[in-house]
């Protein structure tokens, strides 16, 4: 909301600069977004909290400022509506279909109107406050809206056929708004209608047909109260947010209706007509009962952590126009109708806090001996730190992805009703699309080697959201003075997975064939821990990717489930191991894992088997490969001798031979 | 004395020598004028006459042998002293260094501060129901405060949480007070993706429920937090604010680190900059959960916002674009 300094000064004696005023407003919780200084004035752009519609006016703001600086308001608006029973009254009826939708409606008929330009003081203030000037009728209603906070509407009396009816719209009923837009209404919308159809969307915007025209000579001035939730829903559905709907949906002050009407009539008398109203209808003139809120000084002090005296509190209430009524020693506070936000004693306590200033509340901190709940531990950060220690950098992606990713996994996607980007309309069911996006961005930035990981949730329809760990690597291991460059390959991602498992102290795992269609089937394996498959890794099968991207993705739950807490020491052998290298030629597609198992099974000693070399060359033979494995024999109690391992080596060689291997000497 | 044993001992000692000094000591010990071998040679005179020539011969051969060994050792030690020239200004063989995301680094820092203050870390779902995200937090349908949080809805009627505050309700449904919890995670709001907005952001939520919690506890705790994260001398203040689920409500501000309180475009010339929202938990929320005799405070902060202030980042999108050039700058983990 925009409001100018001079207008506020007309209401309250502000003895300080616009910037000082802005600071005081800030400390009341009225956020000043911007102060615009002009040659003779200053304009404030304010951000009013949604529970304080009473501050959406010059009057309301002045009330608050006056209370803060301890001054009285200089100006008053206390006009009252003229006598309702005039002899020469113009004919008008007002029918309210539901008092719940519209508890009060005041219609005033005025004639001898001359439509023209507004007086300078009106158009100048409207402009400063960011409202377009139209003509002396509409401008006055907007002026009153800004000053009192109450929205009014003016109809062309002669365009109304029959009386005014406040009713729900019929489904598919059409209205052309003042702005010339056609809107289709529903039973959820409240309209002002005549016997031909809607003439205004209640509280939101007038209709074109009943608007003020250059030739208008008689008008109906509406000052009403509409049910806030109705106005809000309509405004949102029709995407029509106006100064009027903004205030109505935050709850207007129902007691302001007659005052705002009378004030408008007064201003119209100065600028557009020489006659006063010819008829006034008020559907519910009985004033509302003031709300009473129970209050305890003791509770308030406890809540604020202060020790305020009764008189200090009473003074604040008095400044705010809150009356105190004491019965049986327990005070009750009578709240003015415009303070709809005050409902319970905590609300009153906040007012005390606001007016003494939050910075005058003491600061306190006490430690606790309570046992922490610790529902979640800090294992996730452990995983992240491991991945970073392996040379990958952590990425965080916005989890919106294209629907085709879900099809790859045959997951039922979680679809957004109102996506941010129309092509990225589902929630991610895998972390990889986001990581691929990040990889591409980095490649475009000229990065040679991109290694990223992400820990985050994925979503599948009908399943709980699940924490995943994903990683991608692509590009080239860099050329260095001490090493040659080479493209990243399958064994790099596998190595990262193995190292991660080692750091997580997970030992009982194996790799198996993977059917994960996310990866190229010739370049993927899956991880198996205790019969479960936390995930797979491999070369990502995406034709759209510019580079070969190797990735992995695991369910964090399974990784953490397998994590062995606390290391366990077992005595290491004091005696050095004895090492033997075996080189042999074998059929090219024999898996190393199989060979390793064969050797392992044939041994009687504790042996560590390590692959030293894999060599494929034509001279070895077609579809053959040469492998060199190192066997490390150890014994807990002695140094083994050549003789003692001879038997083992012989069985290993025999087994390998029976498997088609020929030993290289 | 057994000459052979003498020789073996001497050989072992020479073998063990690592420095010139040690070698000289060993030489003096065995071959010096008052050395062991001299003693041996002197003692030959005590032997029967016929054994003397043989003993003398052996002693002299041991002497020569040891002199040879010492000379060899000297050469070895000498060789070790000079190494081939290498260009030591070449870069080292550095392993790859990965980094944690700044939101992780800062999020951990924030969480750890509150853990030290006795808070427990809990979690909640990112997909929420309207009930937990709004209604249970005093924001029923048609509440104007819903305007402040444009929501992503799912086709199945659920929504993406717009704040971490639903965790408050979920925890209190399961655990009775007194409790202090902290929860961090992704939140979603339908915003444009521009330097100051992102559809995803990270929030850290805190909740402390006990008997007799006051604004003084809230301010005290948050002031401590600000000092921990921004430094002992940071100036903080509290202004009234509004949240449907707290009453009274406030915002915490710190002195603008960009202009040090002078007033600049970042702080809108106010010299202070908002870091979080907070307040005493609205009594109706605790009442509905059956904890009328308790009260408490809650606060929520955007980690991106704190990170932008702390690290001087001017574009929120950088957090979600994952450029290595950006990520590599956050190594304090």
């Amino acid at each position: 909301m925009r409001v100018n300094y001079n207008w506020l000064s007309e209401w309250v004696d502000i003895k300080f600069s616009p910037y000082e005023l802005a600071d005081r407003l800030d400390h009341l919780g009225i956020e000043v977004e911007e102060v615009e200084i002009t040659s003779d004035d200053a304009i404030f752009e304010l951000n009013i909290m949604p529970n304080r519609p009473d501050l959406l006016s010059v009057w309301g703001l002045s009330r608050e400022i006056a209370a803060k600086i301890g001054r009285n308001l200089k100006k008053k608006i206390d006009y009252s509506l003229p006598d309702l029973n005039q002899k020469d009254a113009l004919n008008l009826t007002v029918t309210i279909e539901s008092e719940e939708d519209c508890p009060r409606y005041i219609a005033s008929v005025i004639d001898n109107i001359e439509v023209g330009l507004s007086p300078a003081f009106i158009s100048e203030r409207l402009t400063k406050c960011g409202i377009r000037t139209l003509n002396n009728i509409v401008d006055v209603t907007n002026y009153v809206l800004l000053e009192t906070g109450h929205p009014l509407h003016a109809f062309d009396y002669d365009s109304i056929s029959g009386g005014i009816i406040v009713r729900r719209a019929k489904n598919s009923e059409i209205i052309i708004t003042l702005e010339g837009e056609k809107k289709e209404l529903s039973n959820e919308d409240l309209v002002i209608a005549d016997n031909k159809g809607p003439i205004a969307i209640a509280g939101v915007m007038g209709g074109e047909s009943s608007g003020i025209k250059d030739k208008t000579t008689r008008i109906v001035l509406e000052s009403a109260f509409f049910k806030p939730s109705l106005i809000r829903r309509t405004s949102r559905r029709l995407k029509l947010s106006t100064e009027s709907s903004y205030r109505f949906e935050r709850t207007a002050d129902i007691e302001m209706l007659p005052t705002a009407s009378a004030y408008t009539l007064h201003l119209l008398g100065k600028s557009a007509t020489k006659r006063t109203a010819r008829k006034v209808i008020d559907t519910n003139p009985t004033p509302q009962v003031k709300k009473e809120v129970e209050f305890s000084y003791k509770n308030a002090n406890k809540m604020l952590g202060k020790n305020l005296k009764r008189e200090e509190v009473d003074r604040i209430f008095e400044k705010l126009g809150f009356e105190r009524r004491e019965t049986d020693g327990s005070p009750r506070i009578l709240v003015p109708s415009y303070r709809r936000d005050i409902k319970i004693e905590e609300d009153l306590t906040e007012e005390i806090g606001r007016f003494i200033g939050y910075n005058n509340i003491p600061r306190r901190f006490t430690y606790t001996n309570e046992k922490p709940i610790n529902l979640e531990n800090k294992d996730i950060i452990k995983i992240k730190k491991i991945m970073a220690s392996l040379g990958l950098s952590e990425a965080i992606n916005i989890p919106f992805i294209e629907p085709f990713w879900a099809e790859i996994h045959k997951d039922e996607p979680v679809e957004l009703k109102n996506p941010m980007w129309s092509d990225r309309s589902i929630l991610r069911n895998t972390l990889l699309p986001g990581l691929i996006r990040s990889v591409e961005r980095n490649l475009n930035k000229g990065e040679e080697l991109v290694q990223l990981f992400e820990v985050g949730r994925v979503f599948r329809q009908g399943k709980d959201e699940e924490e995943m760990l994903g990683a991608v690597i692509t590009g080239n291991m860099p050329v260095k003075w001490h090493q040659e460059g080479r493209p990243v390959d399958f064994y790099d991602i596998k190595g990262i997975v193995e190292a991660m498992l080692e750091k997580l102290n997970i030992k009982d795992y194996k790799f198996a064939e993977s059917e994960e269609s996310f990866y190229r089937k010739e370049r993927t394996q899956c991880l198996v821990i205790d019969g479960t498959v936390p995930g797979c890794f491999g070369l990502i099968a995406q034709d759209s990717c510019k580079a070969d991207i190797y990735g992995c993705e695991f369910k964090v739950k399974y990784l953490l489930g397998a994590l062995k807490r606390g290391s366990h020491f077992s005595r290491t052998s004091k005696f050095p191991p004895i090492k033997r290298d075996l080189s042999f030629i074998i059929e090219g597609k024999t898996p190393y894992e199989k060979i390793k198992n064969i050797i392992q099974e044939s041994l009687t000693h504790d042996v560590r088997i390590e692959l030293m070399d894999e060599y494929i060359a034509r001279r070895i033979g077609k579809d053959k490969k040469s492998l060199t494995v190192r066997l490390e024999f150890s014994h807990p109690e002695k140094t083994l001798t050549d003789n003692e391992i001879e038997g083992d080596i012989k069985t290993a060689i025999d087994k390998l031979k029976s498997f088609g291997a020929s030993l290289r000497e | 004395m057994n000459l052979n044993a003498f020789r073996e001992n001497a050989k072992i000692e020479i073998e063990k020598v690592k420095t010139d000094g040690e070698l000289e000591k060993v030489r003096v010990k065995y071959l010096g004028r008052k050395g062991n071998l001299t003693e041996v040679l002197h003692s030959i005179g005590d032997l029967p006459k016929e054994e003397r020539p043989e003993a003398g011969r052996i002693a002299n051969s041991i002497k020569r042998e040891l002199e040879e060994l010492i000379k060899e050792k000297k050469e070895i030690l000498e060789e070790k002293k000079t190494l081939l020239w290498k260009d030591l200004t070449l870069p080292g063989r550095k392993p790859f260094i990965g980094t944690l995301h700044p939101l992780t680094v800062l999020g951990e820092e924030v969480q750890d501060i509150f853990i030290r203050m006795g808070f427990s870390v809990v979690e909640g779902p990112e997909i929420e129901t309207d009930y937990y995200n709004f209604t249970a937090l005093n924001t029923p349908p048609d509440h104007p405060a819903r305007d402040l949080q444009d929501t992503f809805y799912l086709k199945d009627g659920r929504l993406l949480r717009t704040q971490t505050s639903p965790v408050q309700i979920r925890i209190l449904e399961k655990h009775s007070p007194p409790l202090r919890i902290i929860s961090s995670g992704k939140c979603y709001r339908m915003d444009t993706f521009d330097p100051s907005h992102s559809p995803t952001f990270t929030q850290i939520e805190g909740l402390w429920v006990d008997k007799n919690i006051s604004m003084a506890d809230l301010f005290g705790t948050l002031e401590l937090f600000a000092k921990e994260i921004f430094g002992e001398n940071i100036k903080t203040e509290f202004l009234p604010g509004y949240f449907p689920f707290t009453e009274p409500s406030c915002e915490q501000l710190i002195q603008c680190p960009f202009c040090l309180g002078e007033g600049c475009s970042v702080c809108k010339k106010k010299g202070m900059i908002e870091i979080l929202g907070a307040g005493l938990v609205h009594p109706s929320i605790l009442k509905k959960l059956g904890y009328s005799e308790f009260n408490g405070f809650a606060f929520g902060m955007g980690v991106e916002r704190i990170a932008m202030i702390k690290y001087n980042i001017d574009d929120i999108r950088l957090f979600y674009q994952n450029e290595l050039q950006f990520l590599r700058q956050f190594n304090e983990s």
Side-chain angles (χ1 to χ4, degrees):
Chain A
M1 172 192 178
R2 283 169 71 89
V3 65
N4 63 320
Y5 180 84
N6 287 349
W7 202 347
L8 291 169
S9 303
E10 193 180 293
W11 277 85
V12 56
D13 217 356
I14 306 166
K15 290 238 165 73
F16 32 80
S17 76
Y19 282 114
E20 287 167 309
L21 176 60
D23 187 58
R24 282 178 173 77
L25 289 171
D26 271 330
H27 282 82
L28 284 169
I30 302 167
E31 194 191 342
V32 182
E33 289 265 357
E34 209 188 320
V35 185
E36 192 187 315
I37 305 285
T38 66
S39 57
D40 60 343
D41 204 350
I43 296 150
F44 302 99
E45 180 77 51
L46 304 177
N47 199 355
I48 306 286
M49 303 178 248
N51 66 330
R52 293 298 304 274
D54 62 297
L55 295 179
L56 294 167
S57 67
V58 174
W59 189 351
L61 285 167
S62 303
R63 210 159 40 208
E64 194 91 342
I65 296 165
K68 179 69 183 174
I69 63 179
R71 290 205 173 80
N72 293 324
L73 289 177
K74 286 200 290 188
K75 190 175 170 179
K76 248 195 241 171
I77 297 179
D78 55 359
Y79 302 94
S80 38
L81 285 167
D83 185 9
L84 300 175
N85 298 315
Q86 289 167 351
K87 278 192 184 140
D88 56 347
L90 279 165
N91 191 33
L92 184 76
T93 57
V94 174
T95 315
I96 309 286
E97 190 184 69
S98 153
E99 280 212 11
E100 201 200 324
D101 291 352
C102 175
R104 190 174 185 182
Y105 194 101
I106 299 175
S108 317
V109 186
I110 309 129
D111 69 354
N112 281 43
I113 289 283
E114 275 177 49
V115 177
L117 290 174
S118 288
F121 79 98
I122 290 186
S123 52
E124 190 194 311
R125 281 182 174 174
L126 290 183
T127 309
K128 279 181 179 168
C129 296
I131 289 179
R132 202 158 49 101
T133 57
L134 284 172
N135 56 53
N136 52 357
I137 314 301
V138 176
D139 289 355
V140 163
T141 61
N142 282 330
Y143 185 87
V144 173
L145 172 137
L146 285 175
E147 193 161 26
T148 68
H150 194 79
L152 300 122
H153 186 69
F155 295 100
D156 175 26
Y157 174 84
D158 296 298
S159 306
I160 300 174
S161 162
I164 280 176
I165 309 158
V166 185
R167 63 164 169 84
R168 291 295 184 98
K170 294 168 191 136
N171 285 327
S172 309
E173 209 166 13
I174 300 287
I175 185 168
I176 311 286
T177 70
L178 272 175
E179 289 175 341
E181 268 187 84
K182 190 172 155 184
K183 295 282 177 188
E184 192 182 318
L185 304 169
S186 85
N187 187 244
E188 293 282 288
D189 303 316
L190 191 66
V191 293
I192 315 298
D194 63 8
N195 60 16
K196 284 193 249 158
I199 57 171
I201 309 167
V204 181
M205 189 177 273
E208 192 175 49
S209 65
S210 63
I212 305 299
K213 298 154 188 79
D214 289 347
K215 289 177 183 159
T216 297
T217 56
R218 302 193 281 196
I219 63 167
V220 177
L221 179 72
E222 167 198 284
S223 176
F225 183 96
F226 303 114
K227 189 179 170 185
S229 59
L230 267 181
I231 303 304
R232 184 182 146 81
R233 248 177 277 167
T234 297
S235 151
R236 294 196 66 108
R237 199 176 55 77
L238 299 178
K239 296 195 171 64
L240 268 181
S241 181
T242 59
E243 294 284 341
S244 165
S245 70
Y246 192 78
R247 285 167 177 80
F248 276 125
E249 69 180 52
R250 281 162 174 71
T251 311
D253 175 12
I254 199 162
E255 302 297 350
M256 184 59 90
L257 266 60
T259 315
S261 275
Y263 186 41
T264 312
L265 293 180
H266 164 77
L267 290 174
L268 284 174
K270 282 182 159 182
S271 64
T273 178
K274 300 207 166 52
R275 306 255 327 234
T276 177
R278 291 281 300 279
K279 185 177 180 89
V280 175
I281 299 168
D282 186 344
T283 64
N284 187 8
T286 336
Q288 307 262 312
V289 184
K290 272 194 180 174
K291 198 170 29 174
E292 285 187 21
V293 178
E294 272 183 56
F295 179 75
S296 142
Y297 294 93
K298 199 175 135 220
N299 288 352
N301 268 326
K302 239 165 94 177
M303 218 178 295
L304 294 169
K306 277 289 267 195
N307 211 350
L308 294 171
K309 293 197 189 79
R310 269 173 177 251
E311 301 81 67
E312 288 177 83
V313 174
D314 289 345
R315 213 175 308 135
I316 289 168
F317 285 166
E318 195 192 319
K319 279 194 267 179
L320 286 169
F322 298 177
E323 289 168 54
R324 190 163 47 94
R325 186 172 291 171
E326 209 145 337
T327 43
D328 323 327
S330 67
R332 303 174 77 79
I333 306 298
L334 267 67
V335 183
S337 62
Y338 49 82
R339 289 305 300 271
R340 295 284 301 233
D341 58 308
I342 307 281
K343 295 182 183 113
I344 51 173
E345 89 179 287
E346 282 78 3
D347 298 323
L348 289 166
T349 305
E350 181 175 64
E351 292 305 291
I352 301 166
R354 255 175 7 104
F355 278 86
I356 61 168
Y358 279 2
N359 294 328
N360 292 316
I361 287 173
R363 312 287 150 97
R364 184 171 75 190
F365 180 77
T366 39
Y367 284 93
T368 174
N369 292 322
E370 284 147 33
K371 202 169 156 264
I373 317 177
N374 252 347
L375 295 177
E376 312 291 334
N377 44 43
K378 301 201 79 188
D379 285 337
I380 299 266
I381 185 71
K382 196 184 271 176
I383 291 189
K384 288 184 178 182
K385 283 183 174 166
I386 288 173
M387 295 309 282
S389 77
L390 298 175
L392 289 84
S393 291
E394 187 190 4
I396 298 181
N397 278 290
I398 295 171
F400 304 149
I401 59 170
E402 294 89 347
F404 68 84
W405 295 104
E407 287 160 27
I408 298 177
H409 270 167
K410 298 184 183 65
D411 280 327
E412 202 175 320
V414 179
E415 287 178 90
L416 285 164
K417 196 168 131 195
N418 51 340
M420 168 101 192
W421 297 289
S422 56
D423 54 336
R424 291 161 71 180
S425 59
I426 65 166
L427 295 186
R428 65 182 176 198
N429 60 330
T430 152
L431 299 177
L432 293 172
L435 286 166
I436 293 170
R437 185 182 289 274
S438 305
V439 161
E440 281 169 354
R441 191 174 182 96
N442 276 296
L443 292 176
N444 289 340
K445 281 261 166 173
E447 295 286 346
E448 271 280 304
L449 172 70
V450 184
Q451 305 195 95
L452 294 171
F453 76 95
E454 180 167 7
V455 176
R457 305 223 179 130
V458 299
F459 309 87
R460 300 178 187 93
Q461 197 59 258
K463 289 179 185 161
D464 282 345
E465 43 199 81
E466 178 145 37
E467 201 87 37
M468 302 295 277
L469 161 69
V472 285
I473 55 172
T474 194
N476 291 293
M477 292 295 167
V479 181
K480 291 278 164 75
W481 64 271
H482 53 82
Q483 72 185 24
E484 285 176 29
R486 61 162 177 86
V488 159
D489 68 17
F490 177 81
Y491 304 103
D492 289 308
I493 192 73
K494 187 169 180 175
I496 286 169
V497 173
E498 287 169 331
M500 174 197 73
L501 292 165
E502 196 171 326
K503 290 287 280 178
L504 283 171
N505 208 12
I506 297 175
K507 296 199 174 86
D508 296 327
Y509 67 84
K510 60 176 186 180
F511 296 120
E513 268 180 46
S514 155
E515 281 165 19
E516 172 58 68
S517 45
F518 217 90
Y519 305 105
R520 297 282 298 274
K521 69 175 192 302
E522 305 87 350
R523 291 287 180 279
T524 173
Q525 278 192 312
C526 68
L527 170 66
V528 185
I529 305 176
D530 203 17
T532 61
V533 178
C536 303
F537 53 93
L539 172 60
I540 291 171
Q542 269 305 310
D543 300 335
S544 59
C545 298
K546 281 197 293 193
D548 280 353
I549 303 177
Y550 292 87
C552 67
E553 190 173 25
F554 302 109
K555 293 178 177 170
V556 167
K557 176 175 73 184
Y558 288 148
L559 295 181
L560 295 181
L563 180 148
K564 296 278 177 295
R565 253 166 245 289
S567 298
H568 196 82
F569 172 73
S570 58
R571 190 183 284 275
T572 52
S573 174
K574 276 187 279 192
F575 305 93
I578 176 162
K579 297 173 188 174
R580 281 287 180 281
D581 289 355
L582 293 180
S583 288
F584 47 89
I585 293 165
I586 198 156
E587 209 267 316
K589 283 187 177 164
T590 320
Y592 164 69
E593 199 74 24
K594 203 161 187 175
I595 290 165
K596 191 177 161 187
N597 287 341
I598 287 170
I599 302 176
Q600 194 88 59
E601 283 161 14
S602 59
L603 303 172
T604 59
H605 288 99
D606 242 3
V607 181
R608 214 160 68 94
I609 304 173
E610 195 91 42
L611 179 67
M612 305 302 287
D613 189 31
E614 189 209 33
Y615 183 63
I616 300 169
R618 178 151 289 184
R619 62 184 179 80
I620 300 172
K622 200 167 172 277
D623 300 330
K624 299 272 180 193
K625 65 180 172 187
S626 159
L627 295 178
T628 305
V629 296
R630 170 163 294 174
L631 312 181
E632 268 188 41
F633 293 80
S634 58
H635 195 283
E637 281 144 21
K638 59 179 178 184
T639 309
L640 292 165
T641 64
D642 288 350
N643 285 341
E644 281 168 304
I645 64 167
E646 218 43 65
D648 268 7
I649 291 187
K650 193 172 175 310
T651 24
I653 291 171
D654 288 347
K655 278 267 175 96
L656 285 171
K657 278 183 176 162
S658 71
F659 207 71
S662 60
L663 217 62
R664 298 178 84 194
E665 298 305 330
Chain B
M1 174 162 222
N2 182 333
L3 283 172
N4 273 327
F6 171 82
R7 184 175 65 182
E8 285 312 306
N9 283 342
K11 276 168 101 174
I12 289 168
E13 277 196 53
I14 292 168
E15 183 66 26
K16 280 186 185 163
V17 156
K18 287 199 174 73
T19 65
D20 288 351
E22 282 171 24
L23 188 64
E24 180 57 14
K25 271 186 198 159
V26 174
R27 193 191 65 79
V28 170
K29 181 176 170 191
Y30 289 98
L31 303 177
R33 245 190 300 144
K34 287 176 184 169
N36 294 356
L37 191 68
T38 314
E39 276 173 35
V40 171
L41 288 172
H42 284 160
S43 65
I44 288 174
D46 303 335
L47 290 172
K49 209 174 175 183
E50 60 275 17
E51 291 176 22
R52 281 182 210 165
E54 175 64 5
R57 204 177 52 77
I58 295 174
N60 276 322
S61 94
I62 291 174
K63 190 183 174 201
R64 277 197 302 277
E65 191 180 345
L66 293 184
E67 276 169 355
E68 190 62 27
L69 278 173
I70 287 168
K71 198 181 147 204
E72 260 175 44
K73 189 75 187 185
K74 205 164 210 157
E75 279 167 14
I76 291 170
L77 289 176
E78 209 53 43
E79 250 174 50
K80 275 196 181 161
K81 273 189 214 160
T82 53
L83 288 173
L84 225 56
W85 184 86
K86 291 255 187 196
D87 180 359
L88 304 185
T89 66
L90 293 184
R93 296 192 176 104
K94 193 175 71 177
F96 289 127
I97 292 175
T99 52
L100 294 181
H101 196 283
L103 294 177
T104 297
V105 175
L106 191 63
E108 280 300 300
E109 199 179 329
V110 172
Q111 283 192 23
D112 286 344
I113 292 168
F114 284 103
I115 288 170
R116 286 202 294 279
M117 294 195 224
F119 285 72
S120 302
V121 180
V122 299
E123 281 190 359
E126 288 174 26
I127 296 182
E128 266 298 359
T129 59
D130 189 272
Y131 174 77
Y132 282 106
N133 195 73
F134 289 123
T135 307
L137 291 165
N138 258 353
T139 320
D142 302 319
H143 195 290
R146 289 197 175 199
D147 281 356
L148 304 176
Q149 305 183 359
D150 276 330
T151 310
F152 283 111
Y153 287 95
L154 304 179
K155 282 199 173 158
D156 62 17
R158 293 180 297 166
L159 51 81
L160 293 177
R161 67 174 173 193
T162 58
Q163 49 195 355
T164 38
S165 309
V167 177
Q168 291 180 26
I169 308 294
R170 289 183 177 274
I171 284 301
L172 285 171
E173 281 178 347
K174 284 190 198 137
H175 295 266
S176 43
L179 54 75
R180 304 180 189 193
I181 55 126
I182 186 135
S183 186
S184 133
K186 276 206 184 80
C187 298
Y188 302 83
R189 286 182 199 172
M190 183 90 184
D191 258 326
T192 48
F193 198 40
D194 65 28
S196 42
H197 300 91
S198 164
T200 305
F201 64 99
T202 317
Q203 204 171 50
I204 293 187
E205 181 84 11
L207 173 73
W208 178 348
V209 181
D210 206 331
K211 286 176 178 163
N212 303 322
I213 296 289
S214 70
M215 295 294 274
D217 296 300
L218 170 61
F219 292 170
T221 306
L222 293 180
E223 195 173 77
L224 251 173
F225 159 71
K227 283 179 191 296
E228 288 275 328
I229 204 116
F230 292 107
E232 187 57 34
N233 297 320
I234 194 76
K235 202 180 131 202
T236 72
E237 71 168 359
F238 295 91
L239 296 185
Y242 170 73
F243 306 100
F245 41 96
T246 50
E247 190 67 45
S249 305
C250 68
E251 282 166 3
Q252 183 178 16
L253 293 87
I254 58 160
Q255 186 180 62
C256 175
F258 303 101
C259 60
L260 301 173
E262 292 288 310
C264 65
S265 62
V266 178
C267 60
K268 293 174 192 158
K269 298 201 176 129
K270 291 177 183 182
M272 301 293 284
I273 187 164
E274 188 202 326
I275 58 164
L276 57 79
L280 296 188
V281 181
H282 199 286
S284 73
I285 291 175
L286 291 170
K287 201 172 157 191
K288 248 183 270 167
L289 291 159
Y291 303 128
S292 320
E293 72 275 32
F294 287 93
N295 65 354
F297 69 70
F299 58 87
M301 69 186 92
V303 185
E304 285 83 353
R305 187 177 177 83
I306 309 271
M308 288 170 89
I309 296 171
K310 198 172 154 78
Y311 304 134
N312 197 5
I313 297 168
D314 60 359
D315 189 337
I316 195 171
R317 291 174 299 186
L318 291 168
F319 292 112
Y320 295 99
Q321 290 169 335
N322 303 313
E323 287 180 13
L324 287 164
Q325 288 175 24
F326 171 78
L327 297 174
R328 282 192 199 112
Q329 295 180 33
F330 303 93
N331 258 323
E332 43 168 314
S333 47

